[in-house]
């Protein structure tokens, strides 16, 4: 299995509620590696690109308004099956449906204010990472814990 990279956003509600540390920790403590991280505010232009597949949906205008309303944190997380693994950690889209133990299940109660975004597949991950990070902003580095977090058997 390939080692994947995925885009995670800690949405404005997560930043405003002081949950950045908790949410980052949930990804970090799995052993996956943070290879990009920034605090930023989403512009309308970036929102339009990021959510282009949702433009015809009834919730689109509210979604863009929410996502551009205050700073968010963008992360690039790397690891075996990182895309699917991060989605699992996030839980179902609406917090009310998300299982206990997930970010949305543990930390949220809303439909739209659901704390996190995670790319939903390899194509989306590549496209979205390109929107949020310049190539030089994603780093390659080793950590002492890497050998105890995943090994060659996770790459098959
Ligand atoms: P996810 O974030 O789980 O990938 P999505 O891509 O289908 O979900 O939708 C993007 C965001 O839009 C989602 O995080 C919250 C919001 N959203 C989706 N469906 C909605 C709905 N029916 N009503 C209100 N907000 C919705
Ligand atoms: Mg999505």
């Amino acid at each position: 299995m390939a080692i994947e990279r995925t885009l995670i956003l800690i949405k404005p509600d997560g930043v405003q509620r002081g949950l950045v540390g908790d949410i980052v920790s949930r990804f970090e403590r799995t052993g996956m590696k943070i290879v990009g991280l920034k605090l930023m505010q989403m512009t309308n232009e970036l929102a339009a690109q990021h959510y282009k597949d949702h433009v015809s949906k009834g919730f689109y205008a509210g979604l863009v308004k929410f996502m551009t309303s205050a700073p968010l944190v963008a992360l690039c997380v790397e690891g075996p099956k990182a895309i699917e693994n991060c989605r699992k950690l996030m839980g179902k889209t609406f917090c009310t449906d998300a299982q206990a133990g997930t970010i949305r299940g543990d930390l949220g109660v809303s439909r739209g204010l659901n704390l996190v975004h995670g790319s939903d597949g390899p194509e989306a991950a590549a496209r979205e990472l390109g929107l949020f990070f310049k190539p030089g902003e994603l780093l390659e580095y080793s950590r002492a814990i890497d050998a105890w977090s995943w090994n060659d058997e996770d790459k098959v």
Side-chain angles (χ1 to χ4, degrees):
M1 168 189 320
I3 303 301
E4 296 174 339
R5 288 183 166 188
T6 188
L7 177 75
I8 299 298
L9 302 177
I10 302 175
K11 296 184 179 183
D13 54 333
V15 177
Q16 292 294 320
R17 291 179 54 207
L19 295 173
V20 172
D22 188 325
I23 294 171
V24 170
S25 174
R26 285 166 183 253
F27 294 107
E28 197 176 27
R29 71 191 188 193
T30 63
M32 290 187 291
K33 188 188 296 187
I34 296 166
V35 298
L37 177 70
K38 67 165 90 168
L39 179 74
M40 59 183 284
Q41 190 143 356
M42 200 183 228
T43 61
N44 282 313
E45 292 72 31
L46 179 56
Q49 290 177 290
H50 179 64
Y51 285 123
K52 70 176 179 59
D53 293 340
H54 293 310
V55 71
S56 60
K57 312 261 175 70
F59 60 81
Y60 177 77
L63 176 63
V64 171
K65 189 171 179 207
F66 161 55
M67 291 297 292
T68 57
S69 64
L72 54 74
V73 172
L75 293 146
C76 178
V77 176
E78 179 183 279
K81 288 180 86 168
I83 297 167
E84 184 184 329
N85 196 24
C86 286
R87 298 280 296 185
K88 180 187 73 184
L89 293 167
M90 289 160 50
K92 288 188 181 170
T93 299
F94 300 143
C95 298
T96 42
D97 300 333
Q99 281 197 314
T102 65
I103 293 165
R104 288 165 168 169
D106 285 352
L107 304 177
V109 291
S110 171
R111 287 157 62 90
L113 307 179
N114 62 2
L115 295 158
V116 278
H117 166 83
S119 307
D120 63 9
E123 276 177 33
R127 187 180 79 82
E128 294 172 359
L129 285 170
L131 294 175
F132 284 84
F133 291 99
K134 300 187 189 95
E137 291 175 335
L138 299 182
L139 306 186
E140 276 184 42
Y141 64 101
S142 300
R143 303 172 303 180
I145 64 159
D146 281 346
W148 297 99
S149 300
W150 74 70
N151 60 24
D152 285 344
E153 287 173 27
D154 292 304
K155 294 181 184 168
V156 295

